């Protein structure tokens, strides 16, 4: 990233390499980063690979998905001349500050996190053990945010609770030890693109779901995309209308179509007389969105040194931003600086 933009508001957001990125990730978050956030603020976007270690994982797969996620973010339109793109584990300050956040948070706060309750319950139901990092990762997320003097954190509603925790920890730390951290706030998109699983329209399209038939991945082949959309679950009856409660399957298709075409789902519904026609139009709209992204991804994969350079420069700038603030936090809590 060229130049300095310290007077601008700072944005931080991240994406976890726990699975292949989906259409839901793109329409719900990444597109906003590309079209809005990188232009209006000093924006940092991070592949938060340390967060992928909170559950059982394959090391080679985490490395592969981390690189793929970074490449897809560039292919989507993040511009390293406008924003800072980097990998979390490449900047030691995240781990350094995470421990101080653990020392600032309480056990009760960690255990009240809704995502911890849900993920721990799933792990236990599978007969697996729950890693301590699953409980404490909101402290790492707080460190991700606070280390950069972040003003805004663009997140979905499911992550708002974690940003509220980061706010609480920043205020508590500042009250105890002095003014070190900026108190951030969560910013939810004005119009959130709700992309649900095509086979289960009551559940969000998630990149780490075991069942993949209802998930459109950004790198799916066109025939695969078309097949998944054409096999999407609809509802009883034949009328195409936008009703998330009574017709969640049809509403999901209309939401996807509206997000891809910048239309309004209620208005789009009036143009279809059958579910088949709606599915066909939605499939084509999705393919139009994915086509340039996939082409750019292929170009970037053919030039891995470019991606390496972007991540190296991004980590260097991120490190330069975070280190003074983390050093100040270490001093504030009473840790002896190295000689």
């Amino acid at each position: 990233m060229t130049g300095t933009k310290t007077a601008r508001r700072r944005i931080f957001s991240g994406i976890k390499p726990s699975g292949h990125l989906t259409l839901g990730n793109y329409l719900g978050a990444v597109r906003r980063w590309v079209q809005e956030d990188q232009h209006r603020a000093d924006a940092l976007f991070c592949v938060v690979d340390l967060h992928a270690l909170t559950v059982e994982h394959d090391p080679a797969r985490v490395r592969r998905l981390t690189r793929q996620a970074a490449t897809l973010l560039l292919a989507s339109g993040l511009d390293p001349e406008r924003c800072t793109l980097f990998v979390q584990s490449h900047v030691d300050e995240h781990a350094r500050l995470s421990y101080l956040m653990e020392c600032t948070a309480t056990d009760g706060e960690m255990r009240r996190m809704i995502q911890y309750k849900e993920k721990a319950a799933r792990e236990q139901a599978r007969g697996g053990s729950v890693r301590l990092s699953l409980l404490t990762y909101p402290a790492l997320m707080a460190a991700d945010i606070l280390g950069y003097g972040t003003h805004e954190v663009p997140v979905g509603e499911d992550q708002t609770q974690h940003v509220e925790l980061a706010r609480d920890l920043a205020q508590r730390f500042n009250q105890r030890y002095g003014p070190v951290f900026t108190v951030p706030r969560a910013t939810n998109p004005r119009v959130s693109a709700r992309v649900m699983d095509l086979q289960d329209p009551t559940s969000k399209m998630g990149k780490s779901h075991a069942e993949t038939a209802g998930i459109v991945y950004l790198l799916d082949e066109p025939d695969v995309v078309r097949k998944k959309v054409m096999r999407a679950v609809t509802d009883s009856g034949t009328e195409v209308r936008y009703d998330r409660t009574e017709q969640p399957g049809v509403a999901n298709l209309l939401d996807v179509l509206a997000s891809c075409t910048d239309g309004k789902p209620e208005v789009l519904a009036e143009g279809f007389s059958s579910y088949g026609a709606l599915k066909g139009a939605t499939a084509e709209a999705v393919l139009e969105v994915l086509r340039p992204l996939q082409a750019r991804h292929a170009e970037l994969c053919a030039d891995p040194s470019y991606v390496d350079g972007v991540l190296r420069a991004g980590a260097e700038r991120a490190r330069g931003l975070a280190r003074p603030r983390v050093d100040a936090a270490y001093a504030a809590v009473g840790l002896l600086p190295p000689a």
Side-chain angles (χ1 to χ4, degrees), residues 20-24 196-201 205-207 209-234 249 252-253 256 275 278-280 282-284 286-287 290 294:
H20 299 287
L21 299 192
T22 72
L23 182 67
M196 314 301 278
D197 191 297
L198 296 175
Q199 291 297 314
D200 180 9
M205 187 181 285
K207 60 182 179 293
H209 289 182
E211 295 296 327
T212 63
I215 302 172
V216 175
Y217 296 103
L218 296 185
L219 295 179
D220 275 346
E221 293 288 337
D223 287 348
V224 174
V225 172
R226 194 173 284 106
K227 185 179 296 184
K228 287 179 177 179
V229 176
M230 296 306 293
R231 292 180 176 177
V233 168
T234 48
N252 187 37
L253 289 169
V256 171
Y275 293 165
L278 171 61
K279 289 180 177 181
T282 303
E284 292 308 313
V286 170
L287 290 171
L290 296 184
Q294 292 182 354

Side-chain angles (χ1 to χ4, degrees), residues 13 20 22 59 108 128 154 162 224 236 314 327:
S13 198
H20 299 287
T22 72
H162 290 147
V224 174
S236 58
D327 285 347

Side-chain angles (χ1 to χ4, degrees), residues 1-8 10 42 81 317 321:
M1 180 174 179
T2 58
T4 57
K5 299 182 180 179
T6 53
R8 301 175 73 190
R10 183 161 292 150
D42 182 6
E81 293 297 317
R317 179 172 190 268
L321 291 173

Side-chain angles (χ1 to χ4, degrees), residues 23-330:
L23 182 67
N25 296 133
Y26 177 76
L27 295 177
V30 175
R31 185 172 62 173
R32 179 190 179 194
W33 299 352
V34 169
Q35 295 180 351
E36 298 182 31
D37 293 334
Q38 70 172 338
H39 299 284
R40 68 181 180 86
D42 182 6
L44 295 98
F45 301 111
C46 182
V47 182
V48 288
D49 54 343
L50 295 176
H51 289 291
L53 310 185
T54 59
V55 295
E56 191 68 30
H57 64 278
D58 172 20
R61 186 170 186 265
V62 170
R63 279 192 294 271
R64 185 170 64 253
L65 290 176
T66 297
R67 185 174 188 83
Q68 183 186 91
T71 306
L72 280 169
L73 291 178
L74 288 171
S76 297
L78 287 187
D79 181 354
E81 293 297 317
R82 292 183 177 276
C83 67
T84 302
L85 175 64
F86 66 104
V87 174
Q88 181 187 32
S89 63
H90 294 178
V91 180
D92 293 345
E93 279 62 36
H94 290 259
R96 289 180 63 207
L97 185 54
S98 179
Y99 182 69
L100 295 194
M101 293 298 100
E102 289 181 14
C103 293
T104 307
T106 67
D107 176 76
E109 285 174 319
M110 297 292 102
R111 295 186 186 279
R112 283 196 295 272
M113 294 292 109
I114 295 171
Q115 289 209 351
Y116 167 71
K117 294 178 180 179
E118 294 176 347
K119 291 180 179 180
R122 286 200 296 268
E123 283 294 314
Q124 291 169 338
R126 287 200 296 259
S129 57
V130 178
R131 298 187 180 191
L132 179 61
S133 56
L134 188 62
L135 176 65
T136 61
Y137 93 88
L140 175 57
M141 184 173 174
D144 298 337
I145 296 166
L146 299 181
Y148 296 102
T150 302
H151 300 97
E152 298 179 25
V153 188
V155 291
E157 292 181 3
D158 60 334
Q159 291 291 337
T160 299
Q161 187 184 35
H162 290 147
V163 181
E164 290 301 314
L165 175 66
R167 286 177 57 85
D168 292 343
L169 296 183
Q171 291 169 334
R172 188 178 306 155
F173 190 101
N174 290 346
Q175 289 166 358
R176 289 177 179 174
Y177 307 114
V180 174
F181 297 117
T182 300
V183 179
R185 67 182 181 90
T187 57
N188 300 121
R190 292 185 300 276
V191 179
S192 178
R194 287 170 52 105
V195 182
M196 314 301 278
D197 191 297
L198 296 175
Q199 291 297 314
D200 180 9
T202 62
S203 299
K204 189 173 71 170
M205 187 181 285
K207 60 182 179 293
S208 56
H209 289 182
E211 295 296 327
T212 63
I215 302 172
V216 175
Y217 296 103
L218 296 185
L219 295 179
D220 275 346
E221 293 288 337
D223 287 348
V224 174
V225 172
R226 194 173 284 106
K227 185 179 296 184
K228 287 179 177 179
V229 176
M230 296 306 293
R231 292 180 176 177
V233 168
T234 48
D235 310 282
S236 58
T238 57
E239 182 186 4
V240 177
R241 59 190 177 91
Y242 187 68
D243 187 330
R244 285 179 173 172
T245 302
E246 297 297 325
Q247 290 190 307
V250 171
N252 187 37
L253 289 169
L254 288 166
D255 278 328
V256 171
L257 179 60
S259 295
C260 291
T261 61
D262 294 324
K264 294 183 178 180
E266 300 89 344
V267 175
L268 290 170
E270 298 172 1
F272 297 99
S273 58
S274 70
Y275 293 165
L278 171 61
K279 289 180 177 181
T282 303
E284 292 308 313
V286 170
L287 290 171
E288 281 299 309
V289 167
L290 296 184
R291 192 171 290 114
L293 186 154
Q294 292 182 354
R296 179 59 179 152
H297 177 266
E299 293 174 358
L300 291 168
C301 287
D303 187 9
S305 63
Y306 173 77
V307 179
D308 289 341
V310 169
L311 295 179
R312 185 165 52 247
E316 183 178 353
R317 179 172 190 268
R319 198 177 299 117
L321 291 173
R323 183 164 294 169
R325 188 169 286 100
V326 176
D327 285 347
Y330 267 55

